[in-house]
Amino acid sequence: MSSLAKKELILEGLDCANCATKIEEQVKKVEGVSGASLNFVTKILTINMDSNGNQEDVLSQANQIINKLEPDVIIKDKALSRKEKKVLLLIGLDCANCATKIEKEVNSLDGVSSATVDFVSRKLTIEVDQKRDLPRVVEQASKIAIQIESGIKVVENEDKKEEGKEDGGIKKSKAIQLGIGAALFFAAILVELPFWAEFSIFLVSYVLVGGEVVLKAVRNISRGQVFDENFLMTVATIGAFAIKEFPEGVAVMLFYQVGEFFQNMAVNRSRKSISALMDIRPDYANLKVGEDIKKVSPEEISVGDIIVIKPGEKVPLDGKVIEGMSMLDTSAITGESVPREVEPGNEILSGTINKNGLLTVEVTKEFGDSTVSKILDLVQNANSRKAPTEQFITKFSRYYTPVVVFVALAMAVVPPLVVSGATFSDWIYRALVFLVVSCPCALVISIPLGFFGGIGGAAKNGILIKGSNYLEALNNVDTIVFDKTGTLTKGVFKVTKISTQGHESEENLLEYAAFAESYSNHPIAISILKAYGREINKSEIQDYDEISGHGIKVSIRGKRILAGNKKLMAKENITYDEVDEIGTVVHVAIDGKYAGYIVISDEIKDDALKAIKELKGIGVRKLVMLTGDNKLVGEAIGHKLGLDEVHAELLPDQKVEKLELLEKQKKTKGKLLFVGDGINDAPVLARADVGVAMGGLGSDAAIEAADIVIMTDEPSKLVNAIKIAKRTRSIVWQNIVFALGVKAIVLVLGAGGIATIWEAVFADVGVTLIAVINAMRVMKTN
């Protein structure tokens, strides 16, 4: 028995779903091919070949088929073109400014296509063009990270043991050191002492409290890292000692260290709170081995293994129930509080919680491909796609600190030389105030924290947002374009009428239509098959041809059957009845003569009307529906829901054209958002500014195709997503205005000689602490 070899080809530019089906069918017929599948969403053609056969010849024939059917497609070998990704955990990363510097330096390395540091989760994500470059880049990136912030430990993200060792507070030895330093500081203030005795006590107090900061500053200067908070605090406090302001020099360092402690504590609590929002990762699985149950890691389970899920346990992997009945809590995945009943034969998803019964489940996906794994990966990597506000803050912080430092230097030197009566000690003190205020930590920490909290809060509500750029884009939605079936309507079709012409009976008409639709997985086809209710002998079907956007041509028992819309009848020059029915009409012709029609009706979703009203209420200017259904049905649903525009009878490629036309018609700079089912709408989802896939629960294609995935089938979740986005933006801008406002006031007062270094410390550490606490309000999404 020969083994199989697998080859994956990326078909760049593939935008014809019908052509994709034909490519798949023709490649399957190539000699030496045991199986072929083409995923239209990911544009990946997977070919399984006999490893002993001529693989080059098979691939050559596959290329010829693709070029013939889709000449504009660019064919790439996935193994050669795939970018390699690595996630490193930066244990002990507490400096937001350093995180920005690490990101900038790693991005400049040869072979790196992108690098992002997520300060909130302390993760450095590196993507390289070539797999062979990855070990070198990881080694260089680790050195850069340790060089920029000494004391951190770089480990691979897979190392869960190391991840658990993150410290969340202050070390006992450091607390004692700070306590003794603070006691000496207060003693020197309260007790009258000679100058040298007073200076000595303040100096010892300063070394105990700030020695670590000074050492870090010196170490960083030797590495070329000048404008960091350690350097600024060192210069400010030594400057205070130089002008004999000993109490203020120690006080600044003491309160800076205490502030840093509270700041780190707040950030760590924030990290834990965000992690808790997505605490859906299962810790273990109960593997059934013979009659025994063995507790193992979910990663060790293979497809086909049998697992047992006890009451109260998380479902560790996707699978099918083979024994037992229970209620499942799906709230962690969908945001829905109503439990779902499952029984043998039902599919269940990882991340849900088994409430009461004992379930025996056959695993259908490995952990890496499971729903919970995809969701966690999506949420954890969301911060690699940064919002324009985050990008602005990163650039701003890069220039803000050096500018303020040089202004402080000029302030210390120029006025005493130019202004009569001005003293160096007075102007140096004012310059020191500038130095203390010049660190942009409040913004660099709180802004990403705010966006990450918003993404986490949305995920808790069953809304997966793939990046803070998409979260921010939801604030500026001008036009929302809906697909009809499965988005605004339930997509549960029923045959409501059968009308025949001539001598054909209703049963015959339904039978021919069912045979014609038997290869299709479209909801309309499923409803016809359900109405027919009998088994179909597919050996009686010949010359099957699906015409995209029209219908099906097929031979059944020697008769030529056409089943489709009026476009198909017109195309085949068949005279048909113009039908005035609310529903989708499938016309049937037998051997070139019109035989009648079948009406299939769909229902509007329960919360669709409420969603449309609320979307208008929160400022969406235009609401449009696109459908391939007939005009009568489309307009009836559009009128019922109060939509602004309805465009019906559209072919898949015409939906993209209509979307582009709506884009041009926009009167504002707002975003165009498309909402579909994520499976048949891949080209439209990709073309919109923001693509939203609904009903992503268990749909890999939906999670792959869209920018935002709504895990349930409720249109009203779109309103929740926009409200979360608006709340996030509001809190982010509160922090920006508050931080910059306080710093600006202190800078002005400092330049005027009114503000002291004490106020400057508050403008730095105090403001950061308040901004971090404020950012955490984002997670309260209800």
Side-chain angles (χ1 to χ4, degrees), residues 566-586:
K566 61 184 181 182
K567 289 179 194 170
L568 180 65
M569 298 296 118
K571 188 173 185 284
E572 299 294 326
N573 298 316
I574 290 167
T575 307
Y576 62 95
D577 288 348
E578 281 288 351
V579 182
D580 187 15
E581 297 274 2
I582 302 293
T584 300
V585 178
V586 176

Side-chain angles (χ1 to χ4, degrees), residues 109-128:
L109 292 175
D110 285 339
V112 174
S113 60
S114 77
T116 54
V117 175
D118 178 10
F119 176 70
V120 178
S121 61
R122 292 170 169 162
K123 284 174 183 172
L124 165 60
T125 305
I126 305 168
E127 206 171 67
V128 294

Side-chain angles (χ1 to χ4, degrees), residues 676-708:
D677 61 11
I679 300 164
N680 303 318
D681 303 309
V684 205
L685 281 165
R687 179 61 189 83
D689 294 326
V690 181
V692 180
M694 284 189 60
L697 191 61
S699 168
D700 295 346
I703 291 174
E704 190 80 38
D707 305 316
I708 296 170

Side-chain angles (χ1 to χ4, degrees), residues 236 248 404 408 411 427-438 746-751 753-761 763:
E248 293 207 356
V404 175
M411 189 182 289
W427 283 96
I428 286 172
Y429 185 87
R430 297 183 191 193
L432 296 180
V433 171
F434 263 60
L435 286 179
V436 174
V437 178
S438 64
V746 173
L747 285 172
V748 171
L749 294 177
I754 300 165
T756 65
I757 291 179
W758 300 78
E759 283 90 353
V761 170

Side-chain angles (χ1 to χ4, degrees), residues 202-259:
F202 276 125
L203 184 62
V204 171
S205 173
Y206 178 80
V207 170
L208 287 169
V209 169
E212 184 189 4
V213 176
V214 176
L215 281 172
K216 272 188 185 176
V218 172
R219 206 180 294 126
N220 290 346
I221 289 167
S222 67
R223 294 169 178 159
Q225 303 291 333
V226 180
F227 297 115
D228 67 354
E229 55 192 355
N230 297 303
F231 168 77
L232 297 171
M233 285 299 155
T234 301
V235 172
T237 51
I238 289 174
F241 266 78
I243 57 171
K244 297 181 181 177
E245 294 284 351
F246 309 137
E248 293 207 356
V250 179
V252 167
M253 194 61 86
L254 177 63
F255 290 115
Y256 167 71
Q257 289 280 57
V258 171

Side-chain angles (χ1 to χ4, degrees), residues 615-777:
L615 286 168
K616 286 184 175 180
I618 57 175
V620 178
R621 193 180 63 85
K622 189 192 274 189
L623 296 163
V624 182
M625 185 177 80
L626 305 182
T627 178
D629 215 333
N630 71 60
K631 198 172 181 182
L632 194 71
V633 175
E635 287 181 350
I637 290 170
H639 179 71
K640 209 168 186 179
L641 293 175
L643 298 169
D644 299 305
E645 289 181 23
V646 174
H647 301 279
E649 300 178 9
L650 298 173
L651 298 173
D653 58 324
Q654 290 175 324
K655 286 185 181 180
V656 178
E657 287 172 20
K658 191 60 70 177
L659 197 82
E660 287 172 346
L661 188 67
L662 289 164
E663 177 76 47
K664 288 174 187 171
Q665 289 172 356
K666 279 192 313 186
K667 291 177 183 174
T668 67
K669 289 183 180 178
K671 303 290 183 186
L672 186 143
L673 186 143
F674 178 80
V675 192
D677 61 11
I679 300 164
N680 303 318
D681 303 309
V684 205
L685 281 165
R687 179 61 189 83
D689 294 326
V690 181
V692 180
M694 284 189 60
L697 191 61
S699 168
D700 295 346
I703 291 174
E704 190 80 38
D707 305 316
I708 296 170
V709 181
I710 295 174
M711 296 301 282
T712 61
D713 287 312
E714 299 160 285
S716 57
K717 289 269 187 181
L718 191 60
V719 180
N720 293 354
I722 293 173
K723 283 180 178 177
I724 289 168
K726 287 182 182 292
R727 180 176 167 79
T728 303
R729 182 177 65 173
S730 169
I731 289 171
V732 161
W733 276 100
Q734 283 169 20
N735 282 345
I736 291 171
V737 172
F738 172 67
L740 292 180
V742 171
K743 283 179 183 285
I745 291 165
V746 173
L747 285 172
V748 171
L749 294 177
I754 300 165
T756 65
I757 291 179
W758 300 78
E759 283 90 353
V761 170
F762 169 76
D764 178 39
V765 182
V767 165
T768 303
L769 189 61
I770 293 167
V772 166
I773 293 165
N774 189 42
M776 292 322 295
R777 293 194 303 117

Side-chain angles (χ1 to χ4, degrees), residues 27 46 160 166 179 186 224 339 374 380 414 470 512 629 647 670 695:
V27 171
T46 305
K160 299 295 171 191
E166 288 277 24
F186 287 114
K374 285 180 186 293
Q380 285 165 2
V414 176
Y470 302 123
Y512 284 129
D629 215 333
H647 301 279

